[in-house]
């Protein structure tokens, strides 16, 4: 039985075939604090970096409008500005979660479709490549023109940014299945659906998780960029506002929140990788 008969030709998406696996191993399985000593070392480095930055900024008397001290940034989280920032952070999360749910769902469905129907791959892939190579932020003004200044254009931008990432990695994972396992399953009378759910999905889980993680990160970046372009609400809008009135402590406080969101996304998929794809390590 040939590869063509099995429908297992690996699709070409314009990226190295080993990149996804390497990214999966390094991103989901190969990193993590394993001991108390490592935890202490990480905390010590963080304290040295923050303390060193505080000392140098004070020593050279760097103006706050150029670079605020870490202490002034932390002080923002104990000021009256917290409710305002929290409200805008909530808007950003709504945009991210809504757009991500739509984009990731469509990406997974398209990945399954082109895996099972090679002809569909030839039709869909050029448009997916077009979306991948087109910066979604460039489309935000057009989306605002069509959908207004509410959530809709930002959610659409996030969905368009994360969907192709999920699809590419998931489809690559679905294709990278041992042909011998599929041939054996078919020799026992397994249907296409059974092969997909019992063999392809479990074996592709590491790549699927990588796609979901990349999609979430790209979605967060796109959401913030769309807020900066559209204004009104969201952490991106706050960044624009604070920079325009030279409130740098609040500006960097928003950046810190966004950085923490990115770290939480990584930790979530790291945990899922341990639970669902720990066998690969």
């Amino acid at each position: 039985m040939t590869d063509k008969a099995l429908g297992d030709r690996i699709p070409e998406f314009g990226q190295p075939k080993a990149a996804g696996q390497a990214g999966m191993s390094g991103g989901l399985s190969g990193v993590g604090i394993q001991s108390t000593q490592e935890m202490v070392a990480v905390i010590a480095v963080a304290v040295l970096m923050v303390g060193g930055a505080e000392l140098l900024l004070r020593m050279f008397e760097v103006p706050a409008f150029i670079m605020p001290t870490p202490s002034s940034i932390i002080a923002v989280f104990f000021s009256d500005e917290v409710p305002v920032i929290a409200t805008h952070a909530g808007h950003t999360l709504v945009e991210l979660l809504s757009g991500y749910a739509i984009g990731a769902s469509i990406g997974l469905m398209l990945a399954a479709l082109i895996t099972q129907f090679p002809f569909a791959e030839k039709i869909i892939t050029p448009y997916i490549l077009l979306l991948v190579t087109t910066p979604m932020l460039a489309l935000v003004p057009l989306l605002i023109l069509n959908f207004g200044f509410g959530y809709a254009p930002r959610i659409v931008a996030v969905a368009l940014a994360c969907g192709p990432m999920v699809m590419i990695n998931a489809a690559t994972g679905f294709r990278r299945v041992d042909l011998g396992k599929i041939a054996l399953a078919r020799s026992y009378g397994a249907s296409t659906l059974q092969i997909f759910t019992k063999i392809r999905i479990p074996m592709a889980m590491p790549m699927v998780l990588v796609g979901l993680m990349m999609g979430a990160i790209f979605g967060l970046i796109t959401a913030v960029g769309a807020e900066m372009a559209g204004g009104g609400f969201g952490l991106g809008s706050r960044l624009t506002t604070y920079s325009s009135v030279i409130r740098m402590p609040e500006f960097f406080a928003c950046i810190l929140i966004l950085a923490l969101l990115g770290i939480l996304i990584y930790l979530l998929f790291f945990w899922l990788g341990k639970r669902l794809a720990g066998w690969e390590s």
Side-chain angles (χ1 to χ4, degrees):
M1 189 173 294
T2 63
D3 290 3
K4 184 177 181 181
L6 290 174
D8 284 285
R9 180 175 58 81
I10 297 176
E12 299 294 339
F13 288 109
Q15 66 181 45
K17 295 180 180 180
Q21 292 285 21
M24 181 277 306
S25 299
L28 297 180
S29 303
V31 179
I33 297 174
Q34 304 295 333
S35 65
T36 304
Q37 290 82 356
E38 293 180 0
M39 174 68 75
V40 172
V42 170
I43 295 175
V45 171
V47 171
L48 287 175
M49 292 179 62
V50 174
E54 180 83 21
L55 180 62
L56 290 174
L57 289 173
R58 290 181 180 274
M59 182 183 302
F60 291 100
E61 299 181 348
V62 178
F65 64 84
I66 295 179
M67 177 61 69
T69 60
S71 59
S72 64
I73 297 173
I74 298 300
V76 173
F77 295 99
F78 299 93
S79 68
D80 296 337
E81 198 68 19
V82 171
V84 177
I85 296 177
T87 300
H88 287 277
H91 292 307
T92 300
L93 286 175
V94 169
E95 298 161 6
L96 174 62
L97 294 176
S98 300
Y100 180 73
I102 296 171
S105 299
I106 295 176
L108 289 174
M109 288 189 292
L110 289 177
L113 177 66
I114 68 172
T115 301
Q116 299 303 311
F117 303 99
F119 179 73
E121 174 191 344
K122 298 178 181 179
I123 299 175
I124 296 173
T125 299
Y127 300 100
I128 296 299
L129 291 175
L130 181 64
L131 289 176
V132 170
T133 56
T134 301
M136 288 301 107
L137 294 181
L139 299 180
V140 170
L142 178 62
L143 294 173
I144 292 176
L145 183 64
N146 286 275
F147 296 103
F149 285 91
Y151 281 120
R154 305 176 184 190
I155 292 175
V156 171
V158 172
L160 291 175
C162 69
M165 294 296 170
V166 174
M167 178 196 152
I168 287 175
N169 285 275
T172 303
F174 291 149
R175 297 289 191 182
R176 285 180 174 169
V177 178
D178 187 0
L179 300 183
K181 292 182 174 65
I182 295 179
L184 180 61
R186 286 185 174 167
S187 70
Y188 279 96
S191 65
T192 301
L193 180 60
Q194 288 175 324
I195 291 174
F196 188 80
T197 56
K198 302 297 184 181
I199 298 178
R200 288 190 187 275
I201 291 180
M203 296 296 293
M205 189 56 64
M207 288 297 298
V208 171
L209 290 175
V210 167
L212 291 173
M213 180 176 67
M214 292 178 61
I217 293 174
F218 272 79
L220 177 61
I221 295 172
T222 303
V224 174
E227 291 167 350
M228 296 179 72
F233 54 89
L235 287 177
S237 174
R238 286 290 89 191
L239 289 174
T240 303
T241 300
Y242 289 141
S243 64
S244 65
V245 295
I246 321 180
R247 295 175 63 178
M248 291 297 104
E250 289 83 357
F251 177 87
F252 280 96
C254 291
I255 290 181
L256 180 59
I257 292 173
L258 292 171
L260 292 175
L261 283 176
I263 293 173
L264 288 176
I265 289 172
Y266 173 83
L267 291 177
L268 171 62
F269 286 101
F270 177 83
W271 177 79
L272 288 175
K274 289 290 187 181
R275 293 289 297 252
L276 302 177
W279 53 266
E280 203 218 32
S281 60

